[in-house]
Amino acid sequence: YYFPCQRWLAVEEDDGQIARELVPVDEAFVKKDSENEGQSPATLGLEQKAKSTTYTVKVKTGDKKNAGTDANVFITLYGSKDDTGIVSLKASKINKNKFERGKVDEFTVESVDIGDLKKIKIGHDNKGNSTGWFLEWVEIDAPSLGKCLKFPCGRWLDKSEDDGAIERIIFPAELQTVEYTPFVPYEITVYTSDIFGAGTDADVFIVLYGSDGICTQQKSLCLNKREQRMYFERNSVNQFIVELEDVGDILEKIRIGHNGGGLNSGWHLDRVTIRRLLPNGK
């Protein structure tokens, strides 16, 4: 699908709007402009990402005295086909100081397709000042499987408490599993215009609309501030693989915009192209 824009998304330009709804046009209409540009934004990294699965991992530290930990926490997800290997939970999306008493932390874990999630192993390296940890639960959302699983723990991971273990294998609570229609990967390519001041450092988001009024959630294309600074530069082509709700075979329109944040938020968007990827990453 090709969505030409060729307009500003800027408070101080054009009509002042920072989000626009775009409708698809015939591919031939766009091709004549871009045929000679020789831009092929596809990269090996994105092909890998198209074949991988993204999990959102939420971790709840118990609300007890000394429940939090300064140790390095790691997790392994075990599926019916494979496991993720040991993954360090380094950057919480919610709290700067992670694994504090009574708090929930959120992490993104990416891996090859491991199949249905069967169990997890979570633990820490016992390093730091206060290492003992009371883990309440872990919740893992796997959009490509259409499942959100809860792994209750309610135990210490502490050498001087409970049974002294600092890692535990936990199984999902079947009654707490939430099932929904699996997400599908979309390849979204964004072309920023070649005019003065066209680039933006703002948080760019997208919503896809299918027929019968179904639409996806609003999704940021960048994972963090560093990516916001790197992408959407003047005359650049940026490609993203994004897992979103399946809006069906027909994409009627998209809504793309930004939050107006950052030093240079105004953005001149040339066009967007979108491909719905099949399960094998094609």
Side-chain angles (χ1 to χ4, degrees), residues 8 57 82 88 177 198 227 270:
W8 284 101
V57 178
D82 203 348
S88 275
T177 298
E227 287 194 357
D270 184 67

Side-chain angles (χ1 to χ4, degrees), residues 130-151:
S130 49
T131 57
W133 185 34
F134 191 89
L135 172 61
E136 197 70 59
W137 48 256
V138 177
E139 183 183 278
I140 299 180
D141 190 6
S144 62
L145 300 175
K147 281 187 182 173
C148 186
L149 297 100
K150 194 78 163 263
F151 295 80

Side-chain angles (χ1 to χ4, degrees), residues 32-70:
K32 66 176 191 297
D33 292 338
S34 57
E35 207 88 281
N36 305 322
E37 289 175 22
Q39 285 169 319
S40 173
T43 62
L44 193 62
L46 280 162
E47 283 174 28
Q48 292 296 333
K49 185 159 184 180
K51 290 178 181 150
S52 71
T53 303
T54 305
Y55 301 93
T56 297
V57 178
K58 288 185 177 171
V59 179
K60 170 77 189 285
T61 299
D63 192 5
K64 290 176 177 282
K65 191 178 178 200
N66 301 326
T69 185
D70 296 330

